[in-house]
Amino acid sequence: MKSLVIACAIALGLGMPMVAFSATPAAQHAAHATAQTTAPAVPAAPKLHADLRALWHGHVVNTRAYAMAVKAGDTAAAAKAERDTVANAQQIADAVAGFYGADAGKGMMKLLGGHWAGVKALTDAAHAGNQAGIDKAMQDLSANAGEIAKFLHGANPNNWPEATVDGLLLAHAAHHKAQVTQIMAGNMTAEAQTWKAMQEHMNTIADALAGGIAAQFPSKVK
């Protein structure tokens, strides 16, 4: 996947330097470490930041559980992970609805459903060794990232630049691909590094969203 530029400091006001993201987990982890050293100690809305971090962490915990279950051939665990992923997406959509209204919440849920569909297809294709399916899933995830970025920019144009949000989500999709590939190959040493970087990147996404909401609705957040 092409290199992804995340302009957090300028575009989102998170106090992070501009960093280049590649699809290589080690490079992603190094970039995250650099960004985190300059992150603000106290966010504008600590509770909102914590809540959104928990929600976005839930997303990767559940999608990872799905991949692990598929690899193990545990259909019951895979079904549970799928239900948990959808429930988590609804919680994120509900958080959006709390600030932008019910219609926005429904729109966000539809887009998050598209993201999960791409991740599920990627996981299933990787398990089956279906390279064409993997490529199609990544194309769908890339398109979905652009749709989410456009949606969020429309809701908060001053704080969520479309290109920046798109870059954040493309980097997230790259993490999914790396993690799923490593799990299906049984390379859990490499997956552990990807997993660490993936969790850190969830903080970056959550903080970007929380920072934008806090700037747009300063009297409504804590």
Side-chain angles (χ1 to χ4, degrees):
M1 180 177 289
K2 64 182 180 181
S3 296
L4 309 169
V5 177
I6 303 179
C8 293
I10 296 174
L12 294 174
L14 297 179
M16 297 180 183
M18 182 179 292
V19 293
F21 272 80
S22 73
T24 305
Q28 291 168 339
H29 178 66
H32 281 301
T34 300
Q36 285 192 328
T37 61
T38 57
V42 180
K47 184 178 185 304
L48 178 64
H49 274 73
D51 289 347
L52 289 184
R53 280 189 172 200
L55 288 176
W56 284 98
H57 273 269
H59 167 66
V60 291
V61 166
N62 294 326
T63 56
R64 182 177 188 269
Y66 179 77
M68 297 288 282
V70 169
K71 169 64 174 175
D74 190 336
T75 56
K80 181 182 183 302
E82 183 168 6
R83 291 193 299 271
D84 290 344
T85 301
V86 174
N88 170 263
Q90 186 62 64
Q91 290 177 319
I92 295 173
D94 288 345
V96 170
F99 291 97
Y100 298 100
D103 287 345
K106 291 177 183 178
M108 189 66 184
M109 183 60 191
K110 181 178 180 180
L111 291 168
L112 291 174
H115 175 72
W116 163 235
V119 174
K120 183 178 186 301
L122 169 68
T123 305
D124 295 344
H127 183 248
N130 179 359
Q131 186 60 50
I134 292 171
D135 293 343
K136 175 63 165 57
M138 290 305 296
Q139 290 170 4
D140 291 344
L141 284 169
S142 179
N144 175 261
E147 292 170 358
I148 294 176
K150 184 176 181 179
F151 175 85
L152 292 175
H153 175 67
N156 193 338
N158 292 330
N159 299 289
W160 292 333
E162 187 173 338
T164 303
V165 177
D166 189 37
L168 287 168
L169 294 171
L170 288 173
H172 172 55
H175 276 139
H176 275 304
K177 183 180 181 183
Q179 181 184 60
V180 166
T181 299
Q182 291 156 356
I183 288 174
M184 296 309 161
N187 188 354
M188 300 311 293
T189 299
E191 192 276 338
Q193 293 300 312
T194 300
W195 180 228
K196 183 176 181 180
M198 199 170 192
Q199 293 178 84
E200 291 171 353
H201 191 60
M202 288 300 93
N203 288 342
T204 301
I205 291 177
D207 290 352
L209 296 178
I213 291 171
Q216 191 176 22
F217 303 104
S219 63
K220 293 179 64 175
V221 298
K222 297 180 180 180

